């Protein structure tokens, strides 16, 4: 009751934005010769937080396709993650805990529904913020090593341009929440929290206190 579902057209659009991100990532990774194969690290234990209701709802589109056993498993993993990360943060330690969707084989258990940061982290990237400030991200540690070896200056390395993709996602978020957008609290949640909380709820239910929205 009160669940915020992505309308089909927005669900298709977010899938398209995600596909463009993955394509753009692959192009840059290929140019740099970056691959995750054999990497001693696994970014799926990085402490990432996510900010949009549309991504949260799309993640739940994927979660709903899991069978009961899979759902029980990821829910248990997510609860343990939230418990452990809360404890670490209270001690001012940045958590490094495997994502609850990471399988024992080291693969993403919900690949088609993974979030934006899962699709962009790794390669160098550029971004122009709404205030006009240009930013450049160096990529993961392995990428930085390759760039250092192959390019005289870091700025010569190809980079994934994130601006348009972020703008498209922000526009989609506005359309998803519509004229009630200003009523929704800002979110900053890990995937584990998105799983434990359940799918996002319509603000009407939150205002009436029918649901624990955040
Ligand atoms: S993104 Fe970089 S650090 Fe993460 S697994 Fe891939 S190569 Fe390793
Ligand atoms: S959603 Fe998938 S890709 Fe993203 S951190 Fe979790 S396991 Fe890794």
């Amino acid at each position: 009751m009160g669940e915020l579902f992505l309308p089909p057209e927005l669900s298709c659009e977010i899938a398209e934005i995600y596909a463009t991100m993955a394509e753009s990532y692959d192009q840059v990774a290929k140019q740099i010769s970056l691959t995750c194969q054999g990497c001693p690290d696994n970014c799926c234990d990085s402490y990432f937080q996510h900010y949009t209701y549309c991504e949260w709802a799309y993640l739940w589109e994927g979660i709903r396709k899991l069978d009961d056993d899979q759902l029980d498993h990821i829910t248990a993993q997510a609860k343990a993650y939230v418990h452990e990360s809360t404890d670490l943060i209270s001690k001012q330690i940045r958590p490094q805990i495997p994502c609850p969707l990471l399988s024992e084989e080291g693969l993403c258990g919900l690949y088609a529904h993974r979030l934006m940061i899962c699709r962009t982290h790794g390669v160098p990237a550029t971004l122009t913020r709404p205030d006009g400030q240009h930013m450049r991200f160096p990529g993961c540690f392995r990428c930085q090593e390759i760039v250092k070896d192959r390019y005289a200056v870091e700025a010569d390395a190809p980079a994934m341009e994130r601006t348009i993709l972020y703008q498209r996602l922000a526009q989609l978020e506005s359309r998803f929440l519509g004229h009630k957008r200003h009523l929704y609290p800002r979110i900053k949640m890990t995937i584990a929290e998105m799983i434990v909380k359940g799918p996002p709820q319509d603000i009407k239910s939150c205002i009436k206190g029918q649901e624990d929205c955040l």
Side-chain angles (χ1 to χ4, degrees), residues 25 34-36 39 41-43 121-122 140-143:
Y25 181 99
L34 175 72
T35 158
C36 296
C39 179
D41 198 0
N42 186 330
C43 294
H121 179 75
C140 67
F141 87 97
R142 200 180 208 194
C143 175

Side-chain angles (χ1 to χ4, degrees), residues 34-93:
L34 175 72
T35 158
C36 296
Q37 257 182 354
C39 179
D41 198 0
N42 186 330
C43 294
C44 297
D45 64 7
S46 305
Y47 186 73
F48 290 137
Q49 289 172 302
H50 312 272
Y51 304 89
T52 57
Y53 284 85
C54 58
E55 286 203 284
W56 184 4
Y58 191 70
L59 180 76
W60 265 91
E61 269 191 25
I63 293 173
R64 261 186 246 104
K65 293 176 197 160
L66 300 175
D67 63 33
D68 288 348
D69 285 349
Q70 290 170 319
L71 184 58
D72 286 349
H73 177 69
I74 64 149
T75 305
Q77 298 281 101
K79 283 181 179 167
Y81 185 110
V82 171
H83 181 76
E84 203 181 328
S85 59
T86 307
D87 181 51
L88 289 169
I89 288 167
S90 75
K91 295 172 183 152
Q92 298 188 321
I93 301 169

Side-chain angles (χ1 to χ4, degrees), residues 11 22 25 28 31 34 48-49 54 62 75 102 111 116 123 135 140 153 159 186 201 205-206:
S11 177
Y25 181 99
V28 175
Q31 286 171 302
L34 175 72
F48 290 137
Q49 289 172 302
C54 58
T75 305
L102 188 66
Y111 194 71
M116 177 177 71
V123 297
M135 301 175 77
C140 67
V153 281
R186 280 178 186 272
Q201 299 296 313
S205 317
C206 304

